Amino acid sequence: MSNVFEGYERQYCELSANLSKKCTAAVALNGEQKKQKVSEVKAGIDEAEALIRKMDLEARSLQPNVKVVLLAKLREYKSDLNNLKSEVKKIVSGNLNPSARDELLESGMTDAMTASADQRARLMMSTERLNKSSDRIKDSRRTMLETEELGVSILQDLHSQRQSLLHAHNTLHGVDDNIGKSKKILSNMSRRMSRNKWIISSIVVVLVIAIALILYFKLSK
């Protein structure tokens, strides 16, 4: 159901009930008071017709299944408004005999009571629908808040995991640096060991040559 249509409908029901009461009151009046009351009723009828046009436009803009229901309501409201126009014509004509006048008064009072009862029923239905809509809005808001809290919790978890990953990355980077330093140290040690090998080998060769020379000179004497 359209909230816009319901708003126009409430205004129309209130206006219709008010116009019925004014018609009933106008029957019992005479002279200028009667003219003033009839003028008020005619102005109210114009306003009611404007509301019906607005409801008609709103109903025709909705989905077909909703539109059918609302247009059926509109037909009832148009019939109700036509009845009001007929009553105004009877009042304006002033050709009512006493029995017709009493009948119109009784009819007006009955219509006013019926309109008032219909108005109360429609208002109660509208209030109930508004309460249900309010409850749905509250449920949606609660769900939205729960979703927001869950989203914040997830973001916090992701932030914590990101910090852990950054810490692990920094740790790995430090390990890589240490491994690089260790490789350099091992390379230096390996070079030193190779150099020391060559030095020791050279010393051994020199010693062997020296011993051989010493033995040669000794044996040659």
Side-chain angles (χ1 to χ4, degrees), residues 11-30:
Q11 293 178 47
Y12 175 81
C13 291
E14 293 172 0
L15 182 60
S16 176
N18 191 30
L19 291 175
S20 295
K21 292 177 182 177
K22 286 183 178 180
C23 283
T24 304
V27 173
L29 298 176
N30 293 306

Side-chain angles (χ1 to χ4, degrees), residues 34-121:
K34 183 176 183 179
K35 289 180 180 179
Q36 182 179 356
K37 188 65 68 174
V38 169
S39 177
E40 291 176 4
V41 172
K42 288 181 177 180
I45 287 175
D46 291 339
E47 187 179 348
E49 287 179 334
L51 286 171
I52 284 179
R53 286 194 296 271
K54 290 179 181 179
M55 284 190 283
D56 186 71
L57 288 173
E58 178 64 20
R60 293 181 188 280
S61 69
L62 300 174
Q63 296 178 351
N65 56 336
V66 179
K67 180 171 69 174
V68 170
V69 176
L70 297 185
L71 290 178
K73 277 188 175 184
L74 272 178
R75 284 192 291 272
E76 294 178 5
Y77 295 150
K78 289 177 181 178
S79 175
D80 175 60
L81 190 59
N82 288 331
N83 291 334
L84 280 173
K85 290 179 180 178
S86 298
E87 287 186 22
V88 172
K89 287 180 181 178
K90 291 178 183 178
I91 294 169
V92 171
S93 66
N95 296 324
L96 297 175
N97 56 43
S99 61
R101 184 172 179 273
D102 292 340
E103 182 181 351
L104 185 58
L105 277 171
E106 184 179 353
S107 173
M109 292 179 66
T110 303
D111 290 343
M113 292 175 64
T114 303
S116 180
D118 290 343
Q119 177 192 9
R120 285 196 298 271

